[in-house]
Amino acid sequence: MQIDLRYRRVIRPDQEAELPQRMFDLLLVFLAEPQVLHNRAELFARVWPGVIVEDANLSQSVWMLRKALGESRKHWIRTVAKSGYVFEPPGAVEIAAEAPAPAAPPAAGATVTADANSKESPAAASAPGMVEAPVAPAASIPDRRPRRWGRWAGAAALVLALAGGIAWWSHHQQVAREQRRAVQLAIALIDVEDAAAPEDSRWPVTLLHAWLGWKLDSLPEVTLLTEAHLAADSAGHSPRIVFLSSGVDSANPNRVFLRARFDHGGVEQRLEKQGTPAQLPEMADELSQELLAALVPARASERWPALAADTNAARRYAEGVEAMERRDWVQSADILQDVVRLAPQFGLPRMQLGYVLSRLSRAAPAIEQTETALRLLQPIPDDVADVLDAERLSRNPEKFEEAAKAWGQLAAKHPQKRAYTLEQAANLNVANLHKEALALLNHPDWDKQSAGIRLRQRLNLAYAYLSLGDPKRARENALAAERIAAAAGKGWAQERGDALLLAAQTDSYQYEEKADLSGYEAAAKQFELAGNEMDALYARFLAESSRRDQPPESGLDALLAQARERGYRRLETEMLHLVALRHYERGDMPAYRARLEQALATALNAGDLYEQRMLELHLLNEDFLRGQFDSASRRITSLGKVGLQGDIPVWLSSYQAIIHAQRGRLVLAESVLDQGEKRDRDTNPGQDHSEASARFACVRADLRLVMGDTQRARANWKKCGAPESPSSRLQARIGNATVDLAAGDRSRAREQLLAAQKEVGQLPDGPDRWATELWIATSLTRAGDAATAERMLQRILPLARATQYEWMIAITETSLAETAATRGDWKAVRKHSEAARKLGLAGIWTLSNRLDVLDAVSAINEGDNPRALRILANVHAQAIRNNDAISQLEVQSLLPPGMAIGECNERCQAALLASTGLRGATLDWLVVPAKVDTKALLQRNIR
């Protein structure tokens, strides 16, 4: 590593950094006397002789010096508690040959004061209200250096000779060339506060920081860094560091000052404004303009809006800025609304209020405040106007796609400012265009960006993958983001909490009740460190809501009260939504519907389109369970037109396929699955499609079995059970048992079904469990265990009736009719069959064919064989039209040998059985020969 004396640079293998004058002087003291304890008073006397400075200046300079040395060398400066610092390099300090010229000459800019000994120092200029601050020359450092140093030659460089040595110069030259090609300016604004100063005296520097920071950050050629960014890294930049301070004149308590210090060409520059407290807003405005001209000279002639606020409004605004930094959106909104009333022409707080209100899902006022801000924030440069217009679009939930397009145009015009691409991706995510977001985020060049940029990229990736139903990649990116935040140090607790929360949510999504919930608590603790109490409470609420052994509304009332009181509308909607689902899982349908309605009302009131659409999916499930398939199909079509992405289109395709299958349209159902799976792959290229494929396979497996393809049915059940989701694996186990049953292995099928019954008994007692138990019970009846099936069905019937889910009630009544038939209780058969038919679901093939078969067998029992044959012939003909092989074989199993049905003779029947291998697809479980010999009865009728 080299220290360049001429240009006051630290040259590392990976980058170079120019140091401000005082920081460089401090480094020279350390270099001159390594392994020596330098107390703070001595360092102040040597580096700031005759100058009254804040104690924090030394701490800030040491901190920045460590940053300049690099992560692997920052320990060279060791802090000795209550004493000072020791410089401890691992090797000797040696003089090297002539140093190379800097990567780029120092930029010209306006100066006010300069080091008198500097060859580059222009004449000092004093503007009205500007006070020259004394600047000590570097030569004032006492000569306590070893004699071998001689006189410091400006053309010389110092090299720290490290053990082993490193040949790195060619690499450095390449880095320097890349830096010269990048025109992006990195600027860090650092507030220097006097810890002993009254709290009330610190707000002016917050005002200056916010006003100047907004201007700088709005410029496409500027990357604005925080202390947290500097502590993490600066992605190869040599950032211009500007120290901002404010205070009261010690000689005149009625005079206040605003001050800025920064390095220019190796020389420290100072800008200062003094005046009365009433003049502070004007001082901040003027100083921001002068700093902007000095830091970005190309912008010196451009006009900006005035800071239109008096001292009271400015003080209150500074409080709002601090609340925003804490991410306390409700308090921020309250304070900024005060500022808007106190200073109605001050545009920036309105712009920030629009952002805060959008975070609170209060779309209408957010849009209103943003539009007003754009009218007030004039004049501004044209490219800044483009940035503000993109922000305006981002405030409107109905224009997220337009916002993404606007940010994309900015990113294309200014590719060096990667924050624009991140804004584009974030807007694509909230617009549910996750695949487009992934296309932007999945590029290797992101790895070259700063920690802050990489962190936001990873969080956006995690969110996109989770929304697309890919928990594995979502978790990988969430944990990568957490590692970046953890390595970055202080100032990243919020981001670390966001990453941990996403990781915990992916675990819950993937592993369900078996998920490790400790991640939620880890996230909550990070949120608390960031001062974000609301997110901490929400993380803990998510943990509680994921515990199956807790009441559905555990901790909800307190959190809802806080969310309502503080205006967190999106959070309130999400909590009501989540609690509604817990009631659904437990079968408390009145509570489920009440919470669902409250969630929908809150989302409608807040204009939250995303939550409205998520709640619409639950209404789709309600349509399905009630057997209202026409309404469900209309809802699927409506949601499909929205262009939702991720696993939602997968669910929509699955629902649509199941509806077609229930109506007997098996080929159409499979076509819907084929199209859905192709669409998922085409619209999400390069992603892991295993979760989506598994869901499609679960539906496809049952279709293939009904159509007589046992081999493909088993292959799809295997794929269905591949994910680590316990519910998928349970579904696959039951599905494989139905294949065993249709193939004729009833003993194995019964064994598997009884094992599944025990497993499903551990689930929450709600509609999802009941639907699974109905499937098991129906299959157990066919496997010869009607007694167990009837006990299950009798338990479900009153629960299903209480839900008013007609579809579930009809299945239960039909299955009970079948168990009654196995024991010859024809009165009970008629009772349950009539109850099922009264529900008005006659058009549903999967119910009507079962009820018709029961009617046929009942007619045979009553001796009405002609009616029985007519019914069976109709069922068989419809089964052929539907391509339902199992129903065909079941009807044929009732016929006497050699008897044709419709156009299907004995040879046709034998061919179907041979081609499918479905030797268990019979109705002998329903008509036991010892009770009712259907074939004999039919045979007598034929004769």
Side-chain angles (χ1 to χ4, degrees), residues 391-409:
E391 290 186 24
R392 174 184 65 83
L393 293 169
S394 298
R395 303 288 179 269
N396 191 334
E398 296 182 356
K399 295 187 176 181
F400 286 142
E401 288 188 53
E402 292 181 49
K405 183 178 179 181
W407 287 113
Q409 291 170 346

Side-chain angles (χ1 to χ4, degrees), residues 431-433 638-645 649:
N432 293 303
L433 299 173
S638 175
L639 286 168
K641 291 178 180 178
V642 176
L644 299 171
Q645 294 184 355

Side-chain angles (χ1 to χ4, degrees), residues 485-557:
K490 295 182 179 179
W492 299 91
Q494 176 69 34
E495 289 77 7
R496 192 174 181 186
D498 290 336
L500 289 168
L501 185 60
L502 272 169
Q505 288 174 301
T506 60
D507 284 348
S508 293
Y509 177 93
Q510 190 170 9
Y511 303 114
E512 300 172 355
E513 68 273 8
K514 296 182 179 181
D516 179 4
L517 303 179
S518 62
Y520 289 108
E521 180 59 27
K525 289 179 178 178
Q526 290 299 317
F527 290 138
E528 287 176 335
L529 287 174
N532 191 336
E533 182 182 352
M534 206 65 204
D535 278 358
L537 287 170
Y538 182 56
R540 291 190 172 110
F541 170 74
L542 288 177
E544 286 297 312
S545 66
S546 299
R547 292 188 174 93
R548 305 291 185 182
D549 57 342
Q550 295 295 317
E553 302 200 0
S554 175
L556 177 67
D557 289 338

Side-chain angles (χ1 to χ4, degrees), residues 383-494:
D383 49 3
V384 174
D386 292 338
V387 175
L388 295 187
D389 188 59
E391 290 186 24
R392 174 184 65 83
L393 293 169
S394 298
R395 303 288 179 269
N396 191 334
E398 296 182 356
K399 295 187 176 181
F400 286 142
E401 288 188 53
E402 292 181 49
K405 183 178 179 181
W407 287 113
Q409 291 170 346
L410 285 166
K413 186 182 286 188
H414 310 286
Q416 74 279 8
K417 190 154 183 172
R418 300 313 299 274
Y420 292 159
T421 305
L422 285 174
E423 290 291 346
Q424 181 186 5
N427 277 275
L428 288 170
N429 266 333
V430 294
N432 293 303
L433 299 173
H434 307 295
K435 68 179 188 302
E436 289 85 350
L438 289 175
L440 294 173
L441 297 167
N442 274 321
H443 284 291
D445 62 330
W446 287 103
D447 293 337
K448 302 175 184 177
Q449 302 302 313
S450 66
I453 294 291
R454 286 185 285 114
L455 178 55
R456 288 181 59 193
Q457 175 234 1
R458 290 287 191 169
L459 288 173
N460 271 285
L461 277 171
Y463 179 80
Y465 278 124
L466 183 57
S467 300
L468 289 168
D470 190 344
K472 181 179 179 181
R473 291 191 183 182
R475 191 175 193 276
E476 288 174 357
N477 282 283
L479 292 179
E482 193 276 333
R483 288 192 294 271
I484 294 171
K490 295 182 179 179
W492 299 91
Q494 176 69 34

